[in-house]
Amino acid sequence: MMVAGAHPFSYWEREQEESPRYRALIEDTQFIARRLLAFGMYVHVGIDDRNLAIDVMNAMRYLLPHILCLANASPFWQGLDTGLASYRSVLLDALPRTGIPNAFRSLNAYLSYVDTLLRTNSIPDPEAIWWDIRPHSQQQDRSRLPTEAGPNSRSKGPAPEQAALEIRVCDALPDIDDVLAVAALIQATVAWMVDLRHRNMSFRLYDRTLIAENKWRAVRYGLQGKLLDFGIEQEVPIRDLLHELLERVEPVLDRLNCREEVSHVHTIMQRGASSDQQRHVWRQNGEDGKAVVDFLVSQTEQNL
């Protein structure tokens, strides 16, 4: 058993998938979908209000590249070193409706967008929106919006507290401690942003095109690079920015009972992300992809 963002040397032409959903994806995107031999880790975080979830999604976009710098695990493709930390991200971004989303003014603005795509037969269902962060699928249906309920009426759909965000930017990670650390950091970041909103504060929103610049840096360099700090309009080593993020979320860690898991982020920063580890094994073994597979199998199975 092996987990990674992409297999170091497998060829997508050998893979066959017969599920109806996959066949529909092939029909829609043709060659693009056929080469998607890539694997992601999705983290779902509950939020107590659906409009608040949209606010948090808008703010979280800025930190997605930071998270990807920790959660990259696909440096190889078909036996070659791509030079990237996350080649999976490149594969996924070739699909429509992927990458960093725009900011939405409200839940209704987001639902209006989804309705437009559905009415124009652009998507078969809301799950065909594959952004790096999105509302959970139950939040994409207007029929599930909470309604005002008087004493003689019944509310249709779930209560306002039934909401969730799905963070989809991460590669699949082979080390379970890395998985727990990244998931806990995402959860803590969402909780921090929710706390800001409850105190009538907000995280500054930046244009999608600026955030995309940072995502490219995360895809290319991972923990070895620098991201743009838009507040000071300078590039800053990603490790410095991650230390700053850890300081921001520190007050919520005990409440979430995830201090131990989040502390492992320091280990990842010192040791390197999975792509760094894979590339090190590859070089130490004469650029042998099978040695990388053996390493990934060992990492995956050590805690099973």
Side-chain angles (χ1 to χ4, degrees):
M1 183 178 293
M2 187 196 90
V3 174
H7 193 284
F9 56 79
S10 282
Y11 286 80
W12 59 264
E13 293 94 333
R14 300 176 185 172
E15 301 303 313
Q16 298 293 326
E17 173 58 65
E18 300 299 329
S19 74
R21 189 169 187 85
Y22 187 78
R23 288 199 299 269
L25 179 62
I26 292 291
E27 177 61 28
D28 183 32
T29 62
Q30 296 295 302
F31 180 82
I32 296 174
R34 290 187 180 277
R35 65 192 182 107
L36 287 180
L37 188 62
F39 312 94
M41 180 180 81
Y42 305 152
V43 179
H44 297 248
V45 183
I47 297 178
D48 61 4
D49 178 85
R50 301 178 76 195
N51 277 289
L52 178 59
I54 296 297
D55 287 344
V56 173
M57 181 178 78
N58 290 338
M60 274 289 292
R61 298 175 312 138
Y62 177 79
L63 293 169
L64 295 177
H66 302 60
I67 293 166
L68 180 58
C69 286
L70 290 169
N72 54 77
S74 51
F76 302 107
W77 182 248
Q78 297 187 346
L80 300 175
D81 183 351
T82 66
L84 306 180
S86 177
Y87 190 70
R88 167 188 166 270
S89 297
V90 174
L91 294 172
L92 266 291
D93 283 352
L95 290 170
R97 301 174 297 280
T98 55
I100 305 294
N102 287 333
F104 289 90
R105 296 186 307 275
S106 65
L107 174 61
N108 279 332
Y110 171 74
L111 293 174
S112 177
Y113 165 80
V114 174
D115 286 347
T116 299
L117 294 185
L118 291 170
R119 289 196 313 271
T120 57
N121 295 318
S122 299
I123 57 174
D125 56 62
E127 291 193 5
I129 298 171
W130 299 301
W131 294 328
D132 292 334
I133 185 171
R134 69 181 186 184
H136 189 269
S137 57
Q138 75 167 18
Q139 195 171 333
Q140 305 185 46
D141 183 354
R142 280 189 181 276
S143 68
R144 300 193 179 202
L145 275 171
T147 59
E148 293 185 8
N152 298 314
S153 65
R154 292 190 301 173
S155 176
K156 298 178 181 179
E161 64 270 20
Q162 296 180 1
L165 286 179
E166 184 180 356
I167 292 82
R168 303 163 52 87
V169 74
C170 306
D171 286 357
L173 302 176
D175 188 318
I176 190 64
D177 291 327
D178 291 6
V179 171
L180 293 173
V182 171
L185 179 61
I186 290 173
Q187 180 195 37
T189 303
V190 170
W192 165 52
M193 291 186 170
V194 168
D195 284 352
L196 285 178
R197 296 297 292 154
H198 285 166
R199 289 183 282 143
N200 293 319
M201 301 171 66
S202 63
F203 194 86
R204 182 174 177 182
L205 301 184
Y206 292 96
D207 189 87
R208 181 190 62 81
T209 56
L210 289 176
I211 301 171
E213 290 292 330
N214 267 348
K215 183 182 176 182
W216 163 246
R217 288 172 176 244
V219 167
R220 170 64 178 89
Y221 300 107
L223 285 175
Q224 309 312 314
K226 299 177 180 180
L227 297 187
L228 303 177
D229 185 328
F230 299 126
I232 61 175
E233 296 187 349
Q234 293 180 12
E235 57 179 6
V236 178
I238 177 56
R239 285 176 171 83
D240 292 350
L241 295 173
L242 286 170
H243 281 296
E244 182 179 313
L245 176 59
L246 290 172
E247 290 176 4
R248 298 282 189 179
V249 303
E250 198 278 336
V252 306
L253 299 184
D254 290 331
R255 170 156 55 93
L256 297 173
N257 194 28
C258 65
R259 183 174 295 277
E260 179 179 353
E261 289 80 6
V262 171
S263 68
H264 183 71
V265 170
H266 294 284
T267 299
I268 299 175
M269 287 193 286
Q270 293 168 4
R271 179 207 68 199
S274 177
S275 287
D276 300 314
Q277 292 181 292
Q278 291 179 49
R279 194 169 274 122
H280 176 73
V281 170
W282 183 69
R283 289 169 177 163
Q284 291 293 108
N285 290 274
E287 300 184 356
D288 181 6
K290 291 184 179 180
V292 179
V293 169
D294 290 343
F295 169 72
L296 290 169
V297 169
S298 175
Q299 270 200 319
T300 303
E301 293 186 345
Q302 65 183 347
N303 290 313
L304 293 181

